[in-house]
Amino acid sequence: MLWWKEAKLGLFIHWGVYAIPGGEWSGNQEKHPFLGAEWMMAYRKIPVAEYRKLAQQFHPAKFDAGSWVLAAKNAGMKYIVLTAKHHDGFALFDSAVSDFDVVDATPFKRDIVKELAEACQKHGMKLGLYYSQAQDWTHRGGAVSSFVKPWDESHAGNFDEYVDQVAVPQVKEILGKYGPIAVIWWDTPQDMTPEIAAKFQTALTAQPGIIQNSRLINSTPGDFRVFEGDVPVGGVPGTPWEVCVMMNGSWGYSRVHHEWASSTKLIRQLIHTASLGGNYLLNVGPDADGAFPPEAVERLAQIGDWMRANGEAIYGTSGFPMKKLWQQGRITQKPGKLFACVFLWPSDGKLTIPVLAGVKSVVLLAQPDKPLPFTMDDAGIVVEVGRGMPDPRATVLVLEIEGKATAAGFLPALDADVSGAFDLLAAYAVPVGADPSKPAVIVGKREGTSPPLTGDPAEGFKLGGFATPQERAAWRIRVPKAGQYRVVAYAGLNKGMPGDATIQVHAAGQTLQKVLPVTGDSQTFRPLEIGTLSFDAPGEHEVAVSLDLKGAATSGGQIWRVQLLPQSPSK
Ligand code: FHN
């Protein structure tokens, strides 16, 4: 799977008859709190017979497989994974064992998988197919997720019969009829037993060299592990892994999900993923006409633009293990080279890259002929990068090195952003005052989809587990000049928590405190004005945060981020 490890970036395509309603059913536009529009049949409990009728309206006049492949290629993507069949059971290929497929059930009658496979062959793109092996809501006996529960009489059928008569034969079809298939992407392994999984494994022998993800059955790792939405903290050392990401809060096309992540955020997520050694599979949900939504087209074009200039820092690289995430950027590596991808440019033009290495030269990737002056000390490599960030999405520095590079033992203090503010995110905090054997302050995965508020790739994490006000999470910042900062914290408090629970912010010998209002649950974060902090002198300072939950459950209160906003902008 060398090609896959080097590829780093792929396009996920979720498409089916669910693109026709796009999350809206009989005028009801209400979104599900966490399921995308491709799940609408299940969360609105649409009867099978009624849902199947959607196929009669499936006539995507704008579908052109070649233009999909070229959009992926121009975005710098090296592989595509298409939903050959999602949980609704509709197949995008001509299946002999079902009549709920694009050729038999729609007026369109064209085999989408076949056309995409041909276009991929023509343009040198690897093709992977997603296949929902267990969940199938329209074929008798297919599994139905336990959190929506069966809602149609046909769901009472026999799962083994479904596997033998529909799922395994369909997997054989997609692996046998369309030329080379590089990846099989299983999903939601509900009810899968080792015996059933073995039947699918046997079907894979039709494609020597095919690789599969870790979702065929819960207990097996597959060739690579997959994560959804949030990149695992620290990556998964020693294991190939991929994160799949939505652009707008839904995998399938949706008229009701408009939370489009900025292209800067997507580019930084890709870099973040590569810096931890993973692959990034970015999703698009084409509409009922077969066109990519304009917001997706724009984002793919931006990613392509960045990748054309900076692809060397992504393709074929390995992650660079750090002890702790570096908020100002991420690092990838190839033999003899480090790529420092910078998100936050230093206000004084001096960037400390927290790496210890024998550095021979430093250049901007975009200006390879102009060496940048640098010095090395215990904190890392200090590079004179000048003021003004050349590419605000992410600017890449190339460090030519001798021997092996290692992460510095500590991270440099954080610089203010271009507005002079400090955005202190959970993922970059360190616990202070906790019992080291049982850290009270944890950085954990935030559930659900983060609102795309900033471009930071690690904003999906939160701080929790504050057992006493002595347990703190802290950040080090580099204040450019004496001044005052408004402090805003984003915190969440469960219903039923004590009404006098408080949040504290400690810095420069001051402690600010505020009562925490209940937000409904600890994952619903609302901004809270905490007060004003004064820094008498420029230089490094620690900013720490704590919660006093008055002895109530530590899971009841969490913090997402703390912002220090300059009272009068300082640069
Ligand atoms: O339920 C699906 C969902 O619709 C989508 O296909 C994602 C993509 O990773 N996988 C499932 C949930 O894990």
Side-chain angles (χ1 to χ4, degrees), residues 2 25 120 135 178 202 207 305 321-322 345 426 489 510:
L2 187 64
W25 194 249
C120 283
Q135 279 205 82
Y178 303 110
T202 307
Q207 289 278 344
D305 181 66
M322 306 280 281
W345 207 248
Q510 301 145 71

Side-chain angles (χ1 to χ4, degrees), residues 434-493:
D435 171 355
S437 66
K438 191 170 163 270
V441 178
I442 49 135
V443 177
K445 179 178 181 294
R446 184 176 168 207
E447 281 139 35
T449 313
S450 317
L453 294 180
T454 68
D456 194 284
E459 68 180 344
F461 296 90
K462 75 244 155 116
L463 295 166
F466 294 87
T468 69
Q470 284 69 48
E471 311 295 351
R472 297 177 180 181
W475 301 263
R476 287 200 71 74
I477 63 170
R478 193 149 65 106
V479 175
K481 62 179 186 192
Q484 297 198 317
Y485 289 81
R486 251 178 69 216
V487 180
V488 177
Y490 287 73
L493 194 66

Side-chain angles (χ1 to χ4, degrees), residues 12 14 18 35-36 38-39 83 86-87 130 135 137 147 185-188 213 215 226-229 244-246 251-252 281 283:
F12 212 175
H14 275 71
Y18 44 74
L35 295 170
E38 74 285 356
W39 270 77
T83 51
H86 202 260
H87 312 326
Y130 169 112
Q135 279 205 82
W137 308 325
F147 57 81
W185 217 99
W186 312 111
D187 209 2
T188 62
N213 73 0
R215 290 188 173 173
V226 285
F227 298 88
E228 245 170 72
C244 56
V245 173
M246 302 177 259
W251 299 99
L281 186 65
N283 181 71

Side-chain angles (χ1 to χ4, degrees), residues 14 26 43 126 143 155 195 199 415 418 502 504 536 538 570:
H14 275 71
S26 306
Y43 64 75
K126 297 267 188 196
H155 298 150
E195 294 71 36
K199 296 181 183 179
D415 280 297
V418 281
T502 52
Q504 297 78 35
D536 295 341
S570 54

Side-chain angles (χ1 to χ4, degrees), residues 68-146:
W68 282 13
V69 176
L70 288 177
K73 201 166 180 174
N74 290 335
M77 290 157 163
K78 303 289 187 191
Y79 61 108
I80 291 178
V81 179
L82 170 73
T83 51
K85 188 203 79 170
H86 202 260
H87 312 326
D88 67 352
F90 177 73
L92 286 177
F93 55 97
D94 187 14
S95 173
V97 297
S98 167
D99 57 5
F100 194 42
D101 70 56
V102 67
V103 174
D104 299 330
T106 79
F108 192 58
K109 298 203 175 302
R110 278 161 52 188
D111 186 323
I112 305 286
V113 172
K114 177 169 181 282
E115 292 188 24
L116 189 65
E118 286 166 2
C120 283
Q121 284 279 10
K122 178 171 170 195
H123 297 292
M125 177 71 67
K126 297 267 188 196
L127 177 64
L129 294 173
Y130 169 112
Y131 188 85
S132 175
Q133 78 279 18
Q135 279 205 82
D136 189 318
W137 308 325
T138 52
H139 289 96
R140 205 170 181 80
V144 175
S145 163
S146 45

